[in-house]
Amino acid sequence: MHPPPDPPKKNQAAYGSRTGIADKIEARTYKTIDAFLAMQFFENGGYPFSADLLKFYLSNPGPNSDFTIKSEYFQKTVNTADVKGVVSRCLDSIIDQARSDPQVGVVRELTSNWIGAGPTENQDVEFGIGHFDVAVGSDTVVRSADDGLHAEVSYKVYVWDYYNFEAKNWIPFGNVKRNTANEIGAHMRELEEFGWARSYVARGESDTIQTWVQKL
């Protein structure tokens, strides 16, 4: 089993495109003040997933560096009501594929498409990956029984996010006004344009394989 191909990265910042003296002064301010305030809020407020994601962004990783979502953060994400609903839709898609071409006794690697999810009711997930994509990959076999055909789906859930600051509704600062929080998010995006941070792909998958049987 495997996930579908990665979705496209949207609205990528032009890394290192701003190199003037004034840009360097702004970059230093944003890194030492804005990023510090955000990190303090995450670390002291009980948002470890958000803190780890921002920390990786600020570490200025290489252009092809992926962030592997830890098991505990992955479970926090897939246990939200929003993601549970998306996983159900993904499984329905796999059943539709099996039903449309029921090759009895043949194990087939069927996958759903990526489906957009978030923001969720869990604030650590909302502040961390915000809007993200979910898919299901499976080894599916159709079996014949007395009451007809059944699809036995062994599957994993996958989460994919392009961590950047595209229109982030990023408001992790208590009673501070929304426009102020969004301004800080805009400053984090500018750090990438200054070459002081870099967007990346965050991805995770189920630790275990689950099985679901559905009559076709």
Side-chain angles (χ1 to χ4, degrees):
M1 66 191 66
H2 56 79
D6 287 356
K9 300 173 182 177
K10 297 179 181 177
N11 194 19
Q12 298 183 55
Y15 178 84
S17 60
R18 298 176 58 179
T19 58
I21 294 176
D23 294 327
K24 291 180 180 178
I25 294 172
E26 280 189 79
R28 187 174 294 107
T29 300
Y30 296 166
K31 190 78 176 272
T32 58
I33 298 177
D34 295 37
F36 174 78
L37 290 173
M39 189 64 71
Q40 286 294 107
F41 178 85
F42 290 149
E43 290 183 337
N44 297 332
Y47 303 113
F49 187 20
S50 300
D52 281 2
L53 288 160
L54 180 59
K55 195 175 299 179
F56 193 73
Y57 176 75
L58 295 173
S59 74
N60 205 358
N64 299 310
S65 299
D66 287 357
F67 178 96
T68 300
I69 299 173
K70 294 179 182 178
S71 176
E72 62 190 284
Y73 302 152
F74 182 85
Q75 289 305 315
K76 183 181 292 189
T77 302
V78 298
N79 285 339
T80 60
D82 179 55
V83 174
K84 287 179 180 178
V86 171
V87 170
S88 179
R89 290 165 58 192
C90 291
L91 288 169
D92 287 343
S93 169
I94 288 172
I95 291 299
D96 287 343
Q97 294 174 58
R99 183 181 292 116
S100 67
D101 184 18
Q103 300 178 24
V104 176
V106 178
V107 179
R108 301 166 65 201
E109 292 186 280
L110 302 180
T111 68
S112 71
N113 293 323
W114 291 105
I115 298 179
T120 72
E121 74 274 13
N122 185 300
Q123 287 194 312
D124 197 13
V125 177
E126 179 185 1
F127 295 153
I129 53 179
H131 294 89
F132 53 97
D133 291 284
V134 174
V136 168
S138 78
D139 290 337
T140 297
V141 58
V142 175
R143 303 191 188 280
S144 181
D146 292 341
D147 60 345
L149 299 179
H150 294 74
E152 182 180 297
V153 183
S154 300
Y155 69 93
K156 282 189 171 185
V157 178
Y158 301 90
V159 169
W160 187 97
D161 177 61
Y162 181 51
Y163 186 93
N164 65 349
F165 284 83
E166 176 196 4
K168 262 193 185 299
N169 196 18
W170 206 49
I171 185 166
F173 298 104
N175 294 322
V176 177
K177 291 182 181 179
R178 181 180 294 270
N179 60 352
T180 302
N182 286 341
E183 182 180 355
I184 291 176
H187 291 173
M188 294 302 95
R189 179 179 175 86
E190 288 181 84
L191 280 178
E192 184 163 7
E193 296 172 351
F194 299 143
W196 286 41
R198 194 192 295 268
S199 297
Y200 57 88
V201 171
R203 62 176 84 240
E205 64 179 70
S206 306
D207 289 331
T208 59
I209 296 172
Q210 301 181 68
T211 301
W212 181 50
V213 178
Q214 175 68 33
K215 189 176 186 303
L216 298 183

